[in-house]
Amino acid sequence: MPSVLDTSSPISPVDFPGPGKVTQMPVRSVSSGIEGLTMWGEKSGDHRDRSPCPIPQQPTRSLFSSLCIVAACTSSMVVNIALGPTVAISIPYAGKDLNIQKDKLQWIVSAYTISSACFLLLCGRLADLYGRKLVWLVGYLIMAVFGLASGFAHSAITLDILRGIQGIGAAAMIPASLGILARAFPPGPARSFAFATFAGGAPLGAVFGAVFGSILTQLTSPSWRSPLYLFSGFSFVCMILGFLTIDKDEPSTEEDRRVDWIGAVLITSGLVLIVFVLSDLPTARKGLRNPHIIVLLGAGIVLVLLFAAWQYYLEWRLENPDLPRTRWTAPPLMKLSMWTRAHGRFAVMQIIACVNWAAFTSWVVWVQLYYQTYLNLTPIQTMFRVLPMYFVGIVANIIIALIVGRIDVCYIVAVGTLMTGCASIFFAVIDPSAPYWAFGFPSACLIALGVDFTFASGTLFISKISLPHEQSVAGALFQAMTQIGSAVGLSVSTIVFNSVLRAQSRYLGVSVDQQGDNTPMEAQLRAYKAAMWTGFAFGVLCTMLCVFLRGVGVVGQAPAQDMTGSSDKKGLDTEVDKK
């Protein structure tokens, strides 16, 4: 059965202030935006025994302490995102230093992406069960230690392994941060500000990564190792800030706090295989016709399907408490019913996040390659051309904090995805001889506005319809979808790029060598444009999916109440849903 937290009702478990007190609240049917459901998500008329569980309340704190919590959580997003452009810029230098073949360089990035994407769900569940602050601190420690160790790597395989372990730290930090913010701030302007600031950590991190990555890699003697040292030190400082300021963990309200390790192994293994295939597919000989690609992709899909079936079985047992408890049947890692929340809009938002991030990743990768390999610009010159994107991203999240409590999230997401797609058009029709301000600058502004509008409003929506004890899992799922989207976007756009590059080269009478160093400039330009049209297609698909978000309403405000407990019908409680 779908389990929905109706945050538009007058009894919301995140609305109570108080220093660590616990209140017993009866479960009762309330007016909800999801027709036929009670506050906790059971269908009306469902008479299963639902004993009230203790609900942790909001601790009182000063404004300074609240700002420190937001800063600490946002720092995790800053570090996570900053490592992307930092490593991307330094890859050629690392390849020369460690004698890494060109077709193997991608694994310096992919090792981190695979581990961070595949361990998100498990880390989110651990955070909800055993403490978000604890998991956040452990994640930051992993990021700092293994980031520092990566700077001392002297072989490609060592660097790849260390980067992969570092990615597990990111998988722990990000969902824990979302859970910490959801626990610390009830629905309303404060939560909108906190989540928008957290999302703003992405462009801020990209600025830091691009600026410091370019300068330190190009101008210091350790070269590509210097940015890794810098961000490891920054991680240690932020970890101390979080240790001192983030609220103490509240014990989980779930009766059964066991971890579904069977589900964890299934989903982690399945995602590892799928993301590995997506990362390896563009450079694999024969592509999808390669036997190892087919076998690994098939195995990954089978494992994910087995995970879904196992979660369905565990949730069925959870809804039938009379069944005997066994050592193998822990509560599900992720309730499949989460995907049906808000009439399935939870699932729609997750898919939009995935596809929109595919468009965003395609833009970031191919724009930087266009500048560096087609226009032959230095890393610092490239950094200055994408720099407006990061500052506009910060402005975008300020705008989100101001409007998300006033405008239907459907319109915010629709505009955001449309801007993400339109950003690719500028490079799909670019004239290389035109000035930067004609194509590059407006494209950088649009991509920043689009992705940040979608990310910030999406995380707020997901948080609002998730229960208090599953905030980190819901956030982890959202993040996992963006990571999968990144892998899909990069894989598909790379296949398109390579196909067009080979076809155009043959058309121009050139046989491309194995390294691709002899491709004609005209063929390269057409391949870049084709890759950007692929990103545009992803963005348009997202905008079309926004039709299914109609009726969500405003998600960035607290429900208005009077002393009798009545509530105005805002947020998820809309006339569309009632019908």
Side-chain angles (χ1 to χ4, degrees):
M1 293 294 103
S3 177
V4 182
L5 172 60
D6 179 19
T7 50
S8 67
S9 72
I11 303 179
S12 176
V14 291
D15 286 342
F16 299 98
K21 296 180 182 179
V22 173
T23 299
Q24 297 273 350
M25 295 300 299
V27 177
R28 63 183 179 88
S29 180
V30 295
S31 175
S32 171
I34 297 85
E35 183 178 1
L37 300 182
T38 66
M39 182 182 72
W40 299 108
E42 295 87 5
K43 285 186 177 179
S44 303
D46 187 350
H47 302 297
R48 293 192 302 269
D49 180 27
R50 295 290 179 185
S51 301
C53 60
I55 302 170
Q57 297 183 357
Q58 305 297 323
T60 56
R61 69 179 74 85
S62 66
L63 175 61
F64 177 76
S65 298
S66 296
L67 291 175
C68 286
I69 293 173
V70 174
C73 291
T74 302
S75 71
S76 63
M77 177 65 85
V78 171
V79 173
N80 180 43
I81 298 298
L83 288 172
T86 294
V87 175
I89 289 169
S90 62
I91 276 179
Y93 297 85
K96 292 179 182 178
D97 186 24
L98 302 178
N99 296 317
I100 304 175
Q101 297 179 0
K102 285 187 176 181
D103 60 342
K104 304 297 182 184
L105 284 175
Q106 62 165 326
W107 289 108
I108 301 177
V109 176
S110 298
Y112 181 93
T113 303
I114 290 174
S115 60
S116 62
C118 299
F119 283 88
L120 276 165
L121 268 179
L122 174 59
C123 291
R125 179 60 176 163
L126 291 174
D128 283 333
L129 284 178
Y130 300 114
R132 292 152 186 164
K133 181 177 181 178
L134 174 63
V135 172
W136 187 88
L137 290 172
V138 172
Y140 238 137
L141 183 63
I142 293 173
M143 287 285 289
V145 170
F146 287 93
L148 182 63
S150 298
F152 290 97
H154 290 285
S155 68
I157 188 64
T158 302
L159 181 59
D160 291 344
I161 291 174
L162 292 174
R163 286 277 296 160
I165 299 175
Q166 188 185 25
I168 299 176
M173 288 194 312
I174 301 303
S177 296
L178 290 168
I180 289 169
L181 292 177
R183 167 72 182 88
F185 302 99
R191 177 179 283 192
S192 299
F193 169 81
F195 274 74
T197 303
F198 177 79
L204 189 62
V207 170
F208 288 167
V211 172
F212 290 109
S214 300
I215 294 174
L216 294 178
T217 299
Q218 194 168 333
L219 302 180
T220 62
S221 57
S223 187
W224 62 274
R225 304 176 191 269
S226 297
L228 296 175
Y229 299 151
L230 174 67
F231 286 110
S232 293
F234 182 72
S235 297
F236 278 116
V237 172
C238 294
M239 184 176 64
I240 295 173
L241 173 65
F243 176 77
L244 295 176
T245 60
I246 294 176
D247 296 332
K248 181 181 178 181
D249 284 325
E250 294 283 349
S252 173
T253 58
E254 297 185 59
E255 294 181 5
D256 190 345
R257 298 176 61 190
R258 293 179 298 161
V259 177
D260 174 25
W261 292 109
I262 295 177
V265 170
L266 288 173
I267 189 61
T268 302
S269 303
L271 289 179
V272 164
L273 293 177
I274 291 174
V275 178
F276 172 84
V277 167
L278 291 174
S279 300
D280 193 49
L281 183 60
T283 58
R285 297 184 62 184
K286 299 182 181 179
L288 281 173
R289 292 174 295 175
N290 192 308
H292 91 270
I293 292 291
I294 298 175
V295 171
L296 293 179
L297 181 60
I301 293 174
V302 169
L303 288 173
V304 171
L305 292 176
L306 287 174
F307 168 77
W310 179 245
Q311 299 306 288
Y312 179 84
Y313 171 71
L314 292 182
E315 188 171 359
W316 172 76
R317 290 187 63 92
L318 191 66
E319 293 178 344
N320 293 272
D322 295 336
L323 295 174
R325 178 185 296 185
T326 68
R327 61 181 300 183
W328 304 110
T329 54
L333 195 69
M334 177 198 71
K335 293 181 178 179
L336 290 186
S337 60
M338 291 178 67
W339 292 83
T340 65
R341 299 272 173 87
H343 294 306
R345 296 187 186 99
F346 180 97
V348 174
M349 186 65 81
Q350 299 285 3
I351 296 172
I352 289 175
C354 179
V355 181
N356 192 65
W357 221 257
F360 173 67
T361 301
S362 299
W363 188 95
V364 170
V365 170
W366 295 111
V367 165
Q368 294 196 62
L369 286 174
Y370 170 80
Y371 283 139
Q372 293 189 52
T373 62
Y374 185 81
L375 298 183
N376 294 317
L377 301 179
T378 66
I380 292 180
Q381 289 174 322
T382 300
M383 178 266 294
F384 279 116
R385 280 164 174 74
V386 298
L387 201 58
M389 161 189 169
Y390 309 129
F391 292 111
V392 173
I394 296 172
V395 174
N397 285 284
I398 295 175
I399 296 173
I400 283 293
L402 296 175
I403 68 173
V404 75
R406 297 176 173 85
I407 300 178
D408 191 322
V409 74
C410 175
Y411 302 128
I412 297 175
V413 174
V415 171
T417 55
L418 185 60
M419 288 191 291
T420 303
C422 289
S424 297
I425 292 182
F426 285 90
F427 281 92
V429 299
I430 194 170
D431 179 1
S433 62
Y436 163 74
W437 306 102
F439 292 93
F441 179 75
S443 181
C445 294
L446 278 178
I447 195 70
L449 288 169
V451 74
D452 285 305
F453 271 37
T454 306
F455 184 88
S457 55
T459 51
L460 273 169
F461 170 75
I462 294 300
S463 175
K464 186 156 189 174
I465 64 172
S466 299
L467 293 168
H469 65 267
E470 60 186 21
Q471 289 289 331
S472 293
V473 166
L477 185 58
F478 190 86
Q479 291 292 325
M481 294 300 289
T482 62
Q483 295 289 335
I484 294 172
S486 294
V488 170
L490 183 57
S491 180
V492 173
S493 61
T494 301
I495 291 172
V496 171
F497 177 89
N498 290 336
S499 299
V500 173
L501 184 65
R502 287 192 296 268
Q504 290 297 319
S505 296
R506 286 196 301 269
Y507 176 78
L508 296 172
V510 177
S511 178
V512 181
D513 59 25
Q514 187 173 2
Q515 297 295 332
D517 295 330
N518 65 332
T519 53
M521 295 298 290
E522 183 179 349
Q524 290 184 41
L525 180 60
R526 292 182 181 179
Y528 281 118
K529 289 183 175 182
M532 298 311 292
W533 280 118
T534 304
F536 170 71
F538 283 131
V540 171
L541 176 58
C542 285
T543 306
M544 295 171 62
L545 289 173
C546 290
V547 173
F548 300 101
L549 290 180
R550 291 181 58 201
V552 167
V554 178
V555 300
Q557 65 179 11
Q561 303 175 23
D562 58 27
M563 296 302 292
T564 64
S566 63
S567 172
D568 64 354
K569 303 299 184 283
K570 294 182 180 180
L572 298 180
D573 186 17
T574 64
E575 293 301 321
V576 174
D577 283 332
K578 287 179 180 179
K579 294 177 183 178

